Amino acid sequence: MRTMKCFTIALIFSLSSLCAAAQDVVVIDTNNYIRGTIQSTDYAAVTIMKDDLSPVLYKASDIQEFMWNGETYISKRILINKKMESRFFKALELGTVNLYSIGEGPVTEVKRSRPRITPSVGLGIGSGGFGGVGLGGGISFGGGRNSGNGRARAKAVYFIERPGTGPITEIPMGNKQELKSLLLTKLNDDDDLSERINATSDFDVKSIAAFVKAYNAMHK
């Protein structure tokens, strides 16, 4: 009985250590990162609660990425209303070709350290915002870890990138021909995959992610 009790206590401590290690992370640069608990983000900034319970806000322009609930959000430069700005993009597939999203996942409006006048639709990006297609009226954020504030959220917007061949580009989900042309441009040099893309009649994020994943697996 004593041996079993000691084993149970050791197991509890081991599980506690694993949970403590599974924290969120803000990566400032390759040699500098902070562990803690991500509180919120609005894709332009992120707030993390450090182990000493002090909250710290980082702008997307000041860090490389952050990991939240097992997902990675990478800071990228993009044209917004004719001005280059930094935003966090959720990484869906990474490799020779990268697939990202904005408006998908546990995201809440960031709690800034001082009052700030902001549009009621979060990012406030109108048409022509991201690469010309835009986000319409912007994104309204729902709850994060403890969602339930009842606010509506716009559909996610998806982006594709092939480093070295141009900037990150919004995927025109509502235009099948433009979407197909974009995929064929980014996922080139693969005749079999091109045939499958051309033969596809309807695209959704799952099928697009599958194409990107298959391409990356063949072009490591």
Side-chain angles (χ1 to χ4, degrees):
M1 287 293 292
R2 182 181 179 85
T3 302
M4 179 62 70
K5 184 176 182 180
C6 291
F7 174 78
T8 302
I9 293 173
L11 180 60
I12 291 173
F13 274 109
S14 297
L15 291 175
S16 298
S17 299
L18 286 174
C19 291
Q23 291 176 302
D24 302 324
V25 179
V26 166
V27 180
I28 299 173
D29 55 48
T30 53
N31 299 311
N32 192 5
Y33 64 90
I34 293 176
R35 291 187 180 276
T37 302
I38 298 294
Q39 299 294 295
S40 56
T41 183
D42 62 358
Y43 297 108
V46 61
T47 298
I48 185 169
M49 183 76 73
K50 298 195 298 183
D51 290 339
D52 62 3
L53 301 183
S54 60
V56 183
L57 183 145
Y58 292 98
K59 294 181 180 179
S61 57
D62 296 332
I63 67 174
Q64 290 184 353
E65 61 189 54
F66 67 88
M67 277 72 82
W68 186 12
N69 289 341
E71 304 286 357
T72 299
Y73 295 78
I74 300 175
S75 177
K76 305 290 295 185
R77 298 277 288 172
I78 194 166
L79 186 65
I80 300 177
N81 292 332
K82 300 182 180 180
K83 181 181 178 182
M84 293 300 295
E85 297 186 16
S86 296
R87 291 291 185 272
F88 291 118
F89 293 81
K90 180 181 176 181
L92 303 181
E93 294 291 340
L94 296 176
T96 302
V97 174
N98 301 325
L99 183 65
Y100 306 99
S101 72
I102 275 186
E104 177 180 281
V107 179
T108 62
E109 284 185 292
V110 72
K111 300 172 184 176
R112 300 186 183 274
S113 57
R114 65 179 65 182
R116 178 176 174 180
I117 298 174
T118 55
S120 60
V121 289
L123 290 178
I125 299 170
S127 59
F130 286 107
V133 180
L135 293 180
I139 296 175
S140 295
F141 301 110
R145 297 178 192 276
N146 300 313
S147 62
N149 57 14
R151 299 170 72 184
R153 178 163 39 173
K155 291 182 179 179
V157 183
Y158 299 95
F159 300 82
I160 194 168
E161 172 193 44
R162 182 165 184 158
T165 65
I168 184 172
T169 305
E170 182 178 343
I171 299 175
M173 298 298 291
N175 189 317
K176 184 174 68 176
Q177 288 305 119
E178 288 187 11
L179 190 160
K180 185 176 293 188
S181 177
L182 179 60
L183 289 181
L184 291 172
T185 299
K186 298 296 183 181
L187 309 178
N188 57 6
D189 301 326
D190 191 319
D191 293 339
D192 178 64
L193 197 62
S194 295
E195 290 182 5
R196 289 163 57 191
I197 292 173
N198 278 316
T200 301
S201 57
D202 292 305
F203 294 89
D204 57 21
V205 66
K206 290 184 179 180
S207 62
I208 294 171
F211 285 134
V212 173
K213 187 173 184 177
Y215 186 87
N216 286 338
M218 297 297 294
H219 296 79
K220 293 183 178 179

